[in-house]
Amino acid sequence: MPPTDPSISLREEFNRWAEAGRGEGMEQDHLPITLPVLEKMRLAGTDNVLDIGCGAGWLSRRLAKLVPMAARWGWIFRTK
């Protein structure tokens, strides 16, 4: 029986994607949403950014280019 908590279902789905090596493809799928959001954030070159649950790190790498002088941290977590 599938979990009834949507957050558990989503977490399990992302874990399956990661195990299958699909994390890299997420960048292309999410760029149409991510790029406009990043523009609206108006990050300065010295802003600090925390990317929680950064997965394969594609967003962290993009953020590093936007805020080259910042302290950047990515936090990958996985629960079972």
Side-chain angles (χ1 to χ4, degrees), residues 41-51 63-64 66-74:
M41 290 173 70
R42 297 184 178 185
L43 295 170
T46 56
D47 285 346
N48 292 316
V49 178
L50 173 63
D51 184 5
L63 287 167
L66 292 174
V67 289
M69 302 302 290
R72 292 170 302 275
W73 296 89

Side-chain angles (χ1 to χ4, degrees), residues 14-47:
F14 278 120
N15 287 345
R16 281 193 296 272
W17 288 2
E19 289 168 357
R22 293 182 56 198
E24 294 300 324
M26 290 180 67
E27 179 175 4
Q28 291 305 313
D29 294 341
H30 289 92
L31 278 180
I33 296 168
T34 304
L35 293 178
V37 169
L38 290 175
E39 285 181 31
K40 289 180 187 246
M41 290 173 70
R42 297 184 178 185
L43 295 170
T46 56
D47 285 346

